[in-house]
Amino acid sequence: MDTQVFPDMIERLREAGIPVTFPRLAIARVLFTHPVHVSAEQVLERVREIAPDIARGTVYNTLNLFVEKGMLRELIVDPTRVYYDSTTTPHHHYYDVTTGELWDVPVGQLRVVGTPDLPAGAVLEDIDVIVRVRRRAA
Amino acid sequence: MDTQVFPDMIERLREAGIPVTFPRLAIARVLFTHPVHVSAEQVLERVREIAPDIARGTVYNTLNLFVEKGMLRELIVDPTRVYYDSTTTPHHHYYDVTTGELWDVPVGQLRVVGTPDLPAGAVLEDIDVIVRVRRRAA
DNA sequence: TTCCATGCAAAGGGTTTGCACTCTC
DNA sequence: GAGAGTGCAAACCCTTTGCATGGAA
């Protein structure tokens, strides 16, 4: 299979220690060309514009793989689906509960102060801040 | 139907403006006797220990009703299910990604500082802070 | 009688899994 | 030829919905 079509993404997969394949390149291209906040189904849809034969299962597996390898961040914000954030640098999020829209809090705008008190044997994985916003009825 | 079995919960429903029925009392009892963090299925299970005939749909509907009326808070923390918090006072959460365990950050221990920048026509609904924790492999 | 609440069962939607096939090393 | 990756379809699980029944005002 021709894996040379997305040359910009090959290095990125290699750095993460992920064997390069065509579906992975296509998915990486959807995710990493620009910063995005997307659901798995949105990724599937956009990937199929490039490569119509890619399977749903492959997209889901690949997203989980990317998360595991630290290329992608899972956002647990919406009760009905997982969103993925292609920016892995620490930052927080706005979430519009009316529209499902999701966008970044500029770094430094909000900050969590204080010392978390972790149980023995526990490791801090992440601190998520979600600013939930509702569009006012006009 | 005998709605007098859980006298302590009747007042609570009335204050929230919710017509008192037996299933609602049983569900309220599971939620409000002690502070809890529970999923809908856990509520169903515990309610059925008291009242075996209560339907799954009734539990889900009632939980949504309680949230709408401000008696209960939804926690979007786990990608596979919604958790409900019977404490509605503002506070943040620890979440153990290994076990699914969920507990409160003591009030004042962590604080979000800064000014959120909301788009025009948007109203701040809530700021959620979730401290994700992982049990270290022994 | 009208409306709301309930039980029951089925549908819905996002995600995962099983299996056979292909490709690579 | 062994193992990994993929496509396809079905299974899975949480949640919602439709419908008929029963009760309350």
Side-chain angles (χ1 to χ4, degrees):
Chain A
M1 178 74 63
D2 181 11
T3 56
Q4 302 310 305
V5 274
F6 306 123
D8 43 338
M9 293 300 152
I10 295 180
E11 186 57 23
R12 206 152 177 152
L13 291 179
R14 290 212 177 111
E15 280 169 12
I18 297 175
V20 174
T21 67
F22 178 75
R24 288 170 181 167
L25 282 173
I27 293 165
R29 191 172 150 75
V30 167
L31 293 171
F32 303 121
T33 303
H34 310 291
V36 290
H37 298 110
V38 282
S39 68
E41 291 295 320
Q42 287 174 325
V43 172
L44 177 64
E45 197 180 313
R46 295 182 195 180
V47 162
R48 284 190 169 163
E49 293 171 7
I50 308 173
D53 290 343
I54 288 182
R56 167 171 280 104
T58 301
V59 169
Y60 279 86
N61 286 340
T62 302
L63 290 172
N64 286 335
L65 177 66
F66 285 4
V67 168
E68 199 180 306
K69 296 297 187 179
M71 300 177 72
L72 200 58
R73 183 170 159 195
E74 262 183 355
L75 298 180
I76 313 302
V77 160
D78 179 308
T80 70
R81 64 184 108 274
V82 174
Y83 280 91
Y84 294 91
D85 187 343
S86 60
T87 305
T88 54
T89 310
H91 64 284
H92 304 312
H93 292 94
Y94 291 102
Y95 178 66
D96 186 328
V97 298
T98 312
T99 64
E101 206 182 341
L102 194 52
W103 67 100
D104 291 346
V105 175
V107 173
Q109 185 176 92
L110 298 178
R111 213 156 41 82
V112 176
V113 300
T115 308
D117 179 24
L118 307 186
V123 167
L124 178 65
E125 173 133 324
D126 216 346
I127 299 186
D128 292 352
V129 176
I130 298 142
V131 182
R132 285 174 205 279
V133 159
R134 181 184 296 278
R135 299 271 184 224
R136 188 170 29 209
Chain B
M1 178 73 62
D2 179 13
T3 55
Q4 302 309 307
V5 275
F6 306 124
D8 43 337
M9 294 301 151
I10 294 180
E11 187 56 25
R12 206 152 178 152
L13 291 180
R14 290 213 178 110
E15 280 168 13
I18 298 174
V20 174
T21 67
F22 177 75
R24 287 171 181 166
L25 282 174
I27 293 165
R29 191 172 151 74
V30 166
L31 293 171
F32 303 121
T33 303
H34 312 289
V36 290
H37 299 108
V38 282
S39 68
E41 291 294 320
Q42 287 174 327
V43 173
L44 177 63
E45 197 179 315
R46 294 181 196 181
V47 163
R48 284 190 169 164
E49 293 171 7
I50 309 175
D53 289 343
I54 289 183
R56 165 171 282 105
T58 301
V59 169
Y60 279 86
N61 286 340
T62 302
L63 291 171
N64 286 334
L65 177 65
F66 285 4
V67 168
E68 201 180 304
K69 296 297 187 178
M71 301 178 71
L72 199 59
R73 181 169 159 196
E74 261 183 356
L75 298 180
I76 312 303
V77 159
D78 179 308
T80 70
R81 60 179 110 296
V82 175
Y83 280 92
Y84 295 91
D85 189 342
S86 60
T87 304
T88 54
T89 309
H91 65 284
H92 304 311
H93 292 95
Y94 292 102
Y95 177 67
D96 186 328
V97 299
T98 314
T99 64
E101 206 182 342
L102 195 52
W103 67 101
D104 291 346
V105 175
V107 173
Q109 186 176 91
L110 298 177
R111 212 158 42 83
V112 177
V113 300
T115 308
D117 180 24
L118 306 186
V123 167
L124 178 64
E125 172 133 325
D126 214 347
I127 299 185
D128 292 351
V129 176
I130 297 142
V131 182
R132 285 174 205 279
V133 158
R134 181 184 295 279
R135 300 272 185 222
R136 186 169 32 206

